[in-house]
Amino acid sequence: MTFLNAGWILAVLLGAWGICAIFEFFFNRKSGNASGLEATMGVFGLIAGIAAAILSIFAIVKPGISLILDVFIIGIFIFWLIFGGISSIVSAVQNSKTADSSLWILSLALGIISVIGGLYGIVHIIYMAKTIGLLIGWLIMFYGIRLICSVFEQDK
């Protein structure tokens, strides 16, 4: 039941993040600041969110599909950690060249932590399964901090 709930949380988070990333790409395209990597991550996030929602519905109807859902949730979360971290690192490096302040360092550090967490999850998948709720909370907090910092960075 915990993984079923995590599946719904992951579906909503990935879907919302994917939609926001796609909208951000189209809004930034006019100013020339559009990131193709962020748009690609948004599309993959939206597709993964829809897939997680569908698998969660199937898991309610057919309990035998629960194992597939469990593995899918862990795999998508690990994928999200690694590629979200890479995206953070790339954007931090790009911002380091143009930023007046050093807020890009926080984005770089959070990206590195996300990549390390994802790689650790590949090696120790049971640990990832046991701590996925905590890690989702930390990841949401990291993205929130990154968004708050980006507001102050763009304010200048």
Side-chain angles (χ1 to χ4, degrees), residues 3 6-7 9-11 13-14 17 41 44-45 48-49 52 68-85 113-122 124-143:
F3 266 87
I9 292 169
L10 191 63
L13 287 175
L14 284 172
W17 174 67
M41 288 295 298
F44 284 131
I68 295 170
L69 175 67
D70 295 349
V71 171
F72 180 76
I73 289 171
I74 293 170
I76 289 299
F77 187 70
I78 290 171
F79 172 80
W80 187 16
L81 278 174
I82 292 172
F83 288 104
I113 290 170
S114 291
V115 170
I116 291 170
L119 293 174
Y120 187 76
I122 290 172
H124 296 286
I125 201 157
I126 299 300
Y127 173 77
M128 187 64 72
K130 289 180 180 178
T131 61
I132 196 165
L134 179 67
L135 291 173
I136 286 174
W138 279 100
L139 188 61
I140 292 170
M141 186 179 70
F142 286 163
Y143 279 120

Side-chain angles (χ1 to χ4, degrees), residues 60-126:
I60 291 171
V61 177
K62 242 183 166 175
I65 224 162
S66 182
L67 179 63
I68 295 170
L69 175 67
D70 295 349
V71 171
F72 180 76
I73 289 171
I74 293 170
I76 289 299
F77 187 70
I78 290 171
F79 172 80
W80 187 16
L81 278 174
I82 292 172
F83 288 104
I86 291 171
S87 175
S88 281
I89 292 169
V90 169
S91 70
V93 169
Q94 289 173 348
N95 288 340
S96 71
K97 297 173 185 172
T98 61
D100 293 335
S101 68
S102 60
L103 286 175
W104 63 271
I105 294 173
L106 181 62
S107 183
L108 179 69
L110 295 177
I112 291 170
I113 290 170
S114 291
V115 170
I116 291 170
L119 293 174
Y120 187 76
I122 290 172
V123 176
H124 296 286
I125 201 157
I126 299 300

Side-chain angles (χ1 to χ4, degrees), residues 3-5 7-8 11 49-63 65-66 69 73:
F3 266 87
L4 184 58
N5 290 331
W8 282 108
I50 292 169
I54 291 170
L55 278 174
S56 294
I57 292 169
F58 283 144
I60 291 171
V61 177
K62 242 183 166 175
I65 224 162
S66 182
L69 175 67
I73 289 171

